[in-house]
Amino acid sequence: MLRQIESIGARGLEVVESIGRSVVFLYQSLVRVPRPRTSLPLLIQQLYSVGVLSLVIIVVAGFFIGMVLALQGYSILVRFGAEQALGQMVALSIVMELGPVVSGLLFAGRAGSALAAEIGLMKATEQLASMEMIGVDPLHQVIAPRFWAGLISLPLLGMIFSAVGIFGGMLVGVDWLGVDSGSFWSNMQSAVDFHRDVLNGVIKSIAFAVVVTWIAVFQGYDCVPTSEGISRATTNTVVYGSLAILGLDFVLTALMFGDL
Amino acid sequence: MRARNIELAVGIFMLIGVLAFVYLAMRVSGLAMDDGGSGYTLYARFENVGSLKSRSKVTIAGVVVGRVVNVHLDREDFVAVVEMEISAKVDNLTSDTSASIMTAGVLGEQYVALELGAEEDFLQAGDEIEDTLSALVLEELIGKFLFNAK
């Protein structure tokens, strides 16, 4: 009995300890004098593998989500004779919610898991340790470029998702279902505010980018260096990342749009 | 060669991202249309503003010339004070301009419609529109109708 309570306490301490470790880890990898000559090529390499390679899944997902939204929205709005409001419905739901959240979830699955697995494998094959042996700090050489790449990529991917989604919605709404193109755009433009909706969507994306990339690189760096440990780290990245995005999304939405 | 391809791909990626942002700003939110800041403020008092709220349109002859910035209650007279920002391009509103609250369509949003008068002098920033017509509240109208029918 006493031992069980003890183990609960130990688990709790472990969780708090790993949170603390992750903060120290982030601080150590990011705070330093920037050296553009050496770190820029590393960053571009990571931007390619984190951002460019995620582009296809983001574009395809955004396109189909926009089309489905227009189709579903139309079938409901047409009952009230308000199909002109389709543009604003599609644009607001994508720009404020679906764009940042779905692109964040896809990013956690596509890029976050790859980051965690890559770093975990580096640790398991003792590449990180050998870097330290030759006097190169793996936090600066391996972790920092990946973190910055994620931080830059996800907001861009989120905006691309939104733009493609609205384009898909327009394709279905205007070209297929026959909503008037003028009222589609003008309703959208009068309903969507640049500061309140578009910029807040981008801010959400940035917040998700920090959280997801942080979780991914920390899980990879902190994993148990065995094949089982790497698979645990990969799974944890996707699970924690997705939950963090959904939870954070509620908090951010309440802060940004709560006074409506 | 391979490194150059990667750089090219990353460059294209960044470019697409920036283009998407410009697209969202210009086409979706219509940022170019209402360049906030470069306008002047007018006030109007209404007995009842209905569901008018900030960001509602202000129109002349159906053309959008400004936005409602703020709606609040005058604590002394208990009337609604509507603060409107009018585009700087429309700086020749006559001082006897009237403002009325209209509804776009049956279920549409409410907006402020300005109608110009015949005075010689113009409204300045911070002035108040004297001649106002309140929002049409459907329940009130039905009430009046029933009362008169008796």
Side-chain angles (χ1 to χ4, degrees), chain A residues 44-45 47-48 51-52 55 91 95 152-153 156-157 159-160 162-163 166 185 188-194 196 198-199 202, chain B residues 2-3 5-7 9-10 13-14 16-18 20-21 23-31 33-34 55 57 67 107 109:
Chain A
I44 286 174
Q45 174 67 42
L47 273 173
Y48 179 78
V52 177
L55 200 56
V95 169
I152 295 168
S153 298
L156 291 175
L157 290 170
M159 287 188 286
I160 293 170
S162 299
I166 288 165
W185 287 111
M188 184 192 294
Q189 287 173 350
S190 70
V192 179
D193 185 68
F194 180 69
R196 196 196 63 182
V198 176
L199 279 190
V202 176
Chain B
R2 180 154 161 70
N5 281 347
I6 287 177
E7 277 170 21
V10 171
F13 168 60
M14 300 294 247
I16 297 174
V18 172
F21 182 68
Y23 176 81
L24 287 179
M26 295 300 166
R27 191 89 168 112
V28 177
S29 71
L31 188 66
M33 216 172 57
D34 53 336
R55 295 211 314 126
K57 287 184 274 192
R67 298 268 166 195
L107 297 169
E109 48 176 344

Side-chain angles (χ1 to χ4, degrees), chain A residues 83-116:
Chain A
E83 64 267 29
Q84 270 78 25
L86 189 67
Q88 94 190 51
M89 193 212 97
V90 170
L92 281 179
S93 42
I94 288 185
V95 169
M96 286 160 64
E97 282 299 326
L98 288 172
V101 172
V102 176
S103 63
L105 293 177
L106 290 174
F107 185 83
R110 164 68 187 75
S113 60
L115 282 180

Side-chain angles (χ1 to χ4, degrees), chain B residues 32-35 38-40 64-65 86-93:
Chain B
M33 216 172 57
D34 53 336
D35 41 6
S38 66
Y40 62 100
V64 179
V65 295
I86 311 290
S87 160
K89 278 180 268 178
V90 190
D91 59 352
N92 53 351
L93 299 176

Side-chain angles (χ1 to χ4, degrees), chain A:
Chain A
M1 184 64 192
L2 210 62
R3 181 152 304 169
Q4 275 167 341
I5 296 172
E6 221 175 71
S7 79
I8 293 172
R11 278 294 292 277
L13 282 180
E14 226 168 75
V15 169
V16 175
E17 203 188 313
S18 84
I19 291 173
R21 207 160 53 229
S22 72
V23 176
V24 172
F25 158 81
L26 190 71
Y27 175 80
Q28 282 177 346
S29 35
L30 299 189
V31 176
R32 66 152 179 172
V33 186
R35 270 177 304 178
R37 281 295 292 279
T38 51
S39 45
L40 202 63
L42 289 173
L43 179 66
I44 286 174
Q45 174 67 42
Q46 288 312 316
L47 273 173
Y48 179 78
S49 60
V50 168
V52 177
L53 295 182
S54 308
L55 200 56
V56 176
I57 187 175
I58 292 283
V59 167
V60 173
F63 191 63
F64 279 106
I65 283 181
M67 295 210 299
V68 165
L69 261 183
L71 207 56
Q72 290 276 21
Y74 182 83
S75 69
I76 294 167
L77 288 172
V78 80
R79 277 194 232 167
F80 305 104
E83 64 267 29
Q84 270 78 25
L86 189 67
Q88 94 190 51
M89 193 212 97
V90 170
L92 281 179
S93 42
I94 288 185
V95 169
M96 286 160 64
E97 282 299 326
L98 288 172
V101 172
V102 176
S103 63
L105 293 177
L106 290 174
F107 185 83
R110 164 68 187 75
S113 60
L115 282 180
E118 193 188 4
I119 297 169
L121 200 66
M122 278 184 183
K123 188 178 182 185
T125 52
E126 292 179 344
Q127 292 180 45
L128 297 182
S130 45
M131 266 185 198
E132 254 172 88
M133 294 276 278
I134 57 172
V136 176
D137 188 347
L139 289 177
H140 294 161
Q141 187 75 13
V142 174
I143 305 297
R146 282 168 175 74
F147 183 83
W148 288 118
L151 189 59
I152 295 168
S153 298
L154 183 49
L156 291 175
L157 290 170
M159 287 188 286
I160 293 170
F161 184 99
S162 299
V164 173
I166 288 165
F167 178 74
M170 187 212 67
L171 220 58
V172 167
V174 174
D175 293 345
W176 183 14
L177 297 170
V179 175
D180 178 56
S181 130
S183 57
F184 183 89
W185 287 111
S186 71
N187 265 329
M188 184 192 294
Q189 287 173 350
S190 70
V192 179
D193 185 68
F194 180 69
H195 291 276
R196 196 196 63 182
D197 304 327
V198 176
L199 279 190
N200 275 344
V202 176
I203 291 171
K204 271 188 184 179
S205 254
I206 294 172
F208 297 161
V210 173
V211 172
V212 169
T213 324
W214 185 8
I215 290 175
V217 290
F218 179 68
Q219 287 292 341
Y221 191 77
D222 202 48
C223 77
V224 183
T226 59
S227 38
E228 198 199 351
I230 294 171
S231 88
R232 269 271 286 285
T234 318
T235 315
N236 281 350
T237 300
V238 178
V239 173
Y240 293 164
S242 307
L243 290 180
I245 285 177
L246 295 171
L248 196 63
D249 180 50
F250 178 76
V251 176
L252 287 176
T253 307
L255 283 177
M256 288 168 177
F257 309 108
D259 55 70
L260 283 181

